[in-house]
Amino acid sequence: MNEEQFDTINGYFVHTIYKSDTYMVCKFETSDDTITVTGPAFDFIKGDHYLLTGNYVDHPKYGFQFNIITIKRYIPNKKDDIIKFLSSNSFKGIGKKAATKIYEAFGDDSINVIKEKFYLVENIGLNTKQINGLKEGIEYFNEDNNETILLLISAGFSNSEAHRIYYHYKDDTAFIFNDNPYRFYLDVPNIPFNKVLTCAKNLDFEDKEYKFKEAYLIYIFKEVSFNSGNIYLDYEDFADEYLKNYSDIDIALKKCIDDNEIIFDNDHYYYKQEYYDEIDIANYLKNNNETLLIEREYLKDLIKQNELELSSDFKYDTNQTQAIFNFFSERFSIIIGGPGTGKTTLINALSSIYKVLYPYQNIIVVAPTGRAAKRINEICSVDSKTIHSLLKWNKETNKFIQNKENPINYDCLIIDEFSMVDNNLFASLLNASTYVKKICIIGDINQLPSIRQGNLLKDLVESKLFETTYLSFNHRQKEGNEIIELADDIVNGTIDFNKYQNDVQFIDIKHTSLNSFIEMISNEINSGTSLDDIQVLSPMYRGDFGIDNLNSYLQATFNPPSKSKSERKVGKQIFRVGDKILQLKNRPTDDVYNGDIGVLNDIDDYLKSLMVNFDGINVFYETDELTEISLAYCLSVHKAQGSEYNTVYFICSKNHINMLYKQLIYTGISRAKSKLIIIGDEELFKTAIQKELNQRKTSLLSRLVD
């Protein structure tokens, strides 16, 4: 590219007007004027000096603008510019006085000395803080970094993706880009395969066809195993449908196996992560499955004492008492129970008695979702966190800080909502549990399994290696009792809706329009129920009674447009101040997690940011982060799992027939605590509860038993 063909701006970055993950509009200040600049999204530093090449355009709507082609950091070579640059925000601890001292020592060559002969700078009398500030600043002031980021953005990667790729490879990024860009997908977390494919198609590099086949094969493995939940695949699972149009695919498969990207074991094919996760889980549990000696009479006294603390007439049922004994007598134990069987009450008992028996040990309850963890915090006198928060997940590296080399400092773990825990998350937790002396998992075996691969709870129970207690007594004596009866009927596969008169209501969807459905909810709110206590659940996103359409209708009814409310359109979705908002991804740095629900409190039109309040935690979302949230008036059953709501409206439409099966319906209706309204087809409902999820292909059971 001949830069002489373009215009040039020499100026200082002022602020961002608009920024998505791929495009931005911002302001630059030059010696003559302040200019609107557009181009690829880039992390400019406020107040820093840049050289921009591009073209001036006169936009018919937005007026005079400058479109960026290239970006370079300006290297000052005059006294005033050098002192201003060194005393800018880029160099922490360097003020005007220190910058002047540097210039007096090295003159117009100061920047080159700092970049290439830093040892000379260490001898001019700067303090440690100033020296470190110079080092950090000059490392960021790196033209190769800027050019490489722009290279990646121009190849189709978003700003955040480009930075993740560069963070992973650093100075080798450009070489890998030209040698084998498929490594971006193989090595760097959360880089979309389709973007790598687009990038690679426009390049010419050695062995291009075979490098594509190897990357595509691994992509298919990841996709098929994720969508199916399977830990391993058989040859026909991936070859017949996905690889039939490619020749010599077996050569690529052998190469992947030789490179340890795909593991072939016992006639099955595994993606490496899934294989080693299963191995780690099996090894840990085999080595930590032992019976411990306990003083049973003393434990009985502690149980009675705990009962009295709750109420003078309170008593744990027989199975709850057995669960307590199993918990203290085993290093690893399992508790299984449906809604209303007292699982949360039992967690409180286990933690309270543990603190009495072992006053100098640390116990914590963890859960896969933020809402489940918060519920424990509200009810039980024990520390509770999400598993991601406990392990300190690093979003950039996609790894946990707490691991084998840096284990957690707890003696006892209770893991709630265990049916939602996948193999990778459990393996990560066990790998960080070197010092843990006791683990108890608690879950409902009839619920949906984890979204990601594995079927842990079922595999662990079926191994019969671990003491397992089944809770069955219904502790809900008033509101919500019929919901528990319905849950039991679903498990047994026999339902008579005529027997439900109070907590459960079935309304024929054939006679229900969207308007009449909205009217039902309006009437409930007018009778005194808060919208926060109502949750609509639907199995699918498409259709009249799908999640997307219901969210639009519910938003329009309960949070309509208003001159006093700011709003922001993102794709087809509108976010409006006052909306119920669902968090879609984990944000451990903000202590907000996948499945959490908050309220949109503010939209900053100037900064193009949204502020959502999650139970007192304010989280800000820039433009390129808005894919992390959606409206929460209607949720999928998977997103609602791990949460409870006073009133649930559950949709069971023929349009959703492919998604309706026993585990999903059971999980959906059991989210209701006091009242359940099913909008559906009765015959479809009865047919769907006879349909089981396909058995996931896992090896954990055989690894444990063998």
Side-chain angles (χ1 to χ4, degrees):
M1 177 182 65
N2 184 0
E3 293 188 6
E4 294 181 358
Q5 299 173 358
F6 300 100
D7 299 312
T8 302
I9 283 182
N10 181 337
Y12 297 89
F13 174 69
V14 180
H15 63 78
T16 300
I17 298 172
Y18 170 82
K19 186 179 182 183
S20 71
D21 210 20
T22 56
Y23 177 76
M24 75 184 301
V25 181
C26 54
K27 289 286 187 181
F28 267 77
E29 183 180 325
T30 69
S31 58
D32 301 321
D33 199 1
T34 300
I35 300 174
T36 300
V37 172
T38 65
F42 189 75
D43 290 336
F44 292 107
I45 296 177
K46 187 173 183 178
D48 271 14
H49 200 165
Y50 296 87
L51 288 175
L52 310 177
T53 63
N55 298 113
Y56 287 103
V57 297
D58 191 4
H59 194 283
K61 182 176 181 181
Y62 298 109
F64 200 58
Q65 297 179 340
F66 185 85
N67 288 345
I68 299 172
I69 301 296
T70 67
I71 301 169
K72 290 184 179 180
R73 296 289 290 272
Y74 175 71
I75 303 176
N77 57 9
K78 301 296 181 184
K79 180 179 179 179
D80 290 345
D81 290 342
I82 290 171
I83 292 172
K84 183 177 180 180
F85 172 66
L86 292 177
S87 57
S88 70
N89 293 335
S90 294
F91 299 92
K92 295 177 182 177
I94 304 295
K96 190 172 183 179
K97 185 176 178 180
T100 302
K101 179 184 284 190
I102 295 169
Y103 181 80
E104 289 173 349
F106 306 113
D108 291 346
D109 200 38
S110 294
I111 304 303
N112 287 329
V113 170
I114 295 170
K115 289 178 68 177
E116 299 171 11
K117 300 178 181 179
F118 195 84
Y119 62 91
L120 294 176
V121 182
E122 296 174 335
N123 299 319
I124 63 171
L126 299 178
N127 62 39
T128 303
K129 182 179 179 181
Q130 290 168 332
I131 289 173
N132 289 337
L134 274 177
K135 279 183 179 178
E136 291 176 7
I138 211 65
E139 284 175 5
Y140 190 87
F141 183 71
N142 184 328
E143 292 178 47
D144 292 337
N145 174 8
N146 290 346
E147 291 177 2
T148 303
I149 294 293
L150 281 170
L151 174 71
L152 294 169
I153 290 173
S154 65
F157 296 102
S158 70
N159 184 50
S160 60
E161 290 162 356
H163 277 83
R164 283 205 305 276
I165 292 170
Y166 184 82
Y167 177 85
H168 188 88
Y169 297 111
K170 297 291 178 65
D171 294 342
D172 293 330
T173 305
F175 169 79
I176 292 167
F177 180 91
N178 291 295
D179 177 67
N180 183 9
Y182 290 111
R183 284 184 57 187
F184 296 159
Y185 172 74
L186 300 175
D187 300 343
V188 185
N190 302 320
I191 300 298
F193 182 76
N194 65 321
K195 289 192 177 182
V196 176
L197 186 61
T198 300
C199 169
K201 282 181 177 178
N202 297 321
L203 297 173
D204 186 22
F205 50 93
E206 189 176 354
D207 294 330
K208 183 174 180 177
E209 183 181 352
Y210 280 102
K211 287 173 180 175
F212 158 73
K213 288 177 181 176
E214 291 163 17
Y216 178 68
L217 191 57
I218 292 170
Y219 164 73
I220 292 302
F221 254 75
K222 287 183 176 181
E223 288 296 300
V224 174
S225 60
F226 179 82
N227 292 332
S228 64
N230 294 332
I231 295 298
Y232 67 81
L233 302 178
D234 294 316
Y235 190 82
E236 59 270 16
D237 291 331
F238 60 91
D240 293 349
E241 181 175 353
Y242 298 98
L243 308 178
K244 58 187 177 184
N245 296 325
Y246 297 101
S247 60
D248 300 328
I249 202 68
D250 285 338
I251 297 175
L253 180 59
K254 184 179 185 304
K255 180 70 164 53
C256 290
I257 293 172
D258 290 342
D259 290 344
N260 212 39
E261 292 289 337
I262 294 173
I263 311 296
F264 184 65
D265 181 37
N266 198 27
D267 294 328
H268 301 313
Y269 295 88
Y270 301 77
Y271 178 61
K272 62 181 178 182
Q273 185 68 62
E274 311 308 329
Y275 180 81
Y276 291 116
D277 285 343
E278 250 192 6
I279 296 289
D280 286 347
I281 294 169
N283 288 343
Y284 183 96
L285 294 180
K286 283 182 177 181
N287 293 327
N288 290 276
N289 182 29
E290 58 182 300
T291 300
L292 309 172
L293 292 174
I294 59 170
E295 297 181 36
R296 295 186 67 86
E297 293 304 315
Y298 180 45
L299 186 54
K300 284 181 182 178
D301 292 339
L302 290 178
I303 293 172
K304 290 178 181 177
Q305 180 181 328
N306 185 261
E307 289 172 336
L308 288 172
E309 289 173 358
L310 294 174
S311 170
S312 58
D313 59 353
F314 178 83
K315 189 172 180 62
Y316 294 113
D317 68 50
T318 303
N319 290 340
Q320 286 178 315
T321 303
Q322 185 59 51
I324 296 172
F325 276 101
N326 288 344
F327 172 78
F328 285 101
S329 63
E330 301 293 329
R331 283 201 67 178
F332 187 88
S333 60
I334 303 172
I335 298 172
I336 301 294
T341 55
K343 297 191 295 295
T344 305
T345 301
L346 195 51
I347 289 173
N348 203 15
L350 298 176
S351 58
S352 298
I353 296 171
Y354 188 91
K355 291 176 183 178
V356 175
L357 274 174
Y358 308 106
Y360 301 108
Q361 292 189 10
N362 296 324
I363 180 173
I364 189 168
V365 180
V366 293
T369 68
R371 290 179 70 85
K374 286 172 185 173
R375 190 176 73 247
I376 297 299
N377 267 326
E378 292 166 358
I379 298 173
C380 304
S381 56
V382 61
D383 288 339
S384 180
K385 293 182 178 181
T386 64
I387 300 174
H388 282 83
S389 178
L390 176 68
L391 297 179
K392 299 176 182 175
W393 182 57
N394 185 314
K395 182 179 179 179
E396 294 301 322
T397 63
N398 203 36
K399 294 180 180 178
F400 291 112
I401 295 172
Q402 308 284 172
N403 49 40
K404 283 183 179 179
E405 290 72 36
N406 185 29
I408 57 177
N409 188 29
Y410 285 94
D411 301 281
C412 179
L413 284 178
I414 297 175
I415 310 171
D416 194 23
E417 296 289 352
F418 192 76
S419 62
M420 299 176 66
V421 178
D422 60 77
N423 273 33
N424 181 252
L425 189 57
F426 192 44
S428 300
L429 181 59
L430 295 182
N431 284 332
S433 297
T434 305
Y435 303 138
V436 174
K437 302 176 179 67
K438 187 182 295 294
I439 295 177
C440 176
I441 62 174
I442 301 176
D444 186 343
I445 203 165
N446 295 306
Q447 283 192 34
L448 287 166
S450 59
I451 292 179
R452 291 190 58 183
Q453 294 91 322
N455 202 1
L456 275 172
L457 189 57
K458 186 172 184 294
D459 285 344
L460 295 177
V461 169
E462 289 187 358
S463 74
K464 298 182 180 178
L465 294 176
F466 314 104
E467 286 293 343
T468 302
T469 313
Y470 293 87
L471 306 179
S472 56
F473 185 77
N474 179 4
H475 289 271
R476 285 187 199 165
Q477 298 303 321
K478 296 180 180 179
E479 284 188 331
N481 190 49
E482 286 186 350
I483 298 168
I484 296 171
E485 289 183 37
L486 175 59
D488 290 338
D489 288 346
I490 290 171
V491 172
N492 296 326
T494 55
I495 291 179
D496 178 8
F497 282 108
N498 293 321
K499 74 177 183 178
Y500 303 117
Q501 303 296 324
N502 299 307
D503 310 321
V504 176
Q505 184 179 2
F506 198 102
I507 298 173
D508 194 334
I509 198 168
K510 291 192 293 290
H511 306 302
T512 306
S513 66
L514 281 169
N515 289 332
S516 63
F517 173 69
I518 299 297
E519 188 178 349
M520 288 179 214
I521 299 176
S522 297
N523 291 338
E524 181 129 14
I525 291 173
N526 292 335
S527 67
T529 304
S530 167
L531 182 62
D532 292 336
D533 291 329
I534 297 172
Q535 188 58 60
V536 180
L537 302 180
S538 180
M540 292 185 72
Y541 285 86
R542 298 189 305 274
D544 288 348
F545 280 90
I547 296 164
D548 291 337
N549 199 46
L550 286 175
N551 265 322
S552 295
Y553 266 80
L554 291 163
Q555 180 194 46
T557 304
F558 301 112
N559 191 30
S562 167
K563 290 182 179 179
S564 63
K565 292 181 179 179
S566 297
E567 60 182 50
R568 175 88 179 274
K569 188 172 183 181
V570 182
K572 294 182 179 180
Q573 187 164 240
I574 294 174
F575 291 114
R576 185 175 298 129
V577 169
D579 278 336
K580 285 177 70 173
I581 297 294
L582 172 70
Q583 178 68 26
L584 301 173
K585 296 182 179 180
N586 292 319
R587 286 177 70 120
T589 52
D590 291 313
D591 198 25
V592 172
Y593 299 90
N594 183 3
D596 285 354
I597 292 178
V599 178
L600 177 53
N601 278 356
D602 186 48
I603 297 176
D604 191 315
D605 293 324
Y606 182 73
L607 296 177
K608 302 296 181 183
S609 65
L610 276 64
M611 190 269 280
V612 181
N613 183 278
F614 294 91
D615 293 332
I617 299 173
N618 290 327
V619 181
F620 293 86
Y621 297 85
E622 302 299 330
T623 298
D624 59 351
E625 296 174 316
L626 295 181
T627 55
E628 295 185 10
I629 59 175
S630 68
L631 297 177
Y633 300 99
C634 179
L635 303 180
S636 70
V637 176
H638 280 98
K639 289 297 183 185
Q641 195 172 2
S643 302
E644 281 187 334
Y645 312 94
N646 284 336
T647 301
V648 166
Y649 285 80
F650 181 80
I651 309 298
C652 177
S653 164
K654 283 186 176 179
N655 292 333
H656 305 153
I657 191 167
N658 292 331
M659 285 292 293
L660 290 171
Y661 37 81
K662 177 184 285 188
Q663 290 87 343
L664 183 133
I665 292 175
Y666 175 92
T667 304
I669 66 100
S670 61
R671 299 309 91 207
K673 190 174 181 181
S674 302
K675 186 176 181 181
L676 171 68
I677 301 97
I678 301 170
I679 313 294
D681 182 298
E682 188 170 324
E683 290 306 312
L684 173 64
F685 193 95
K686 290 179 178 179
T687 301
I689 65 169
Q690 306 298 327
K691 188 170 72 171
E692 299 270 0
L693 270 173
N694 291 332
Q695 179 66 36
R696 292 183 171 185
K697 295 180 178 181
T698 68
S699 312
L700 182 59
L701 178 59
S702 61
R703 294 188 198 282
L704 288 169
V705 174
D706 294 342

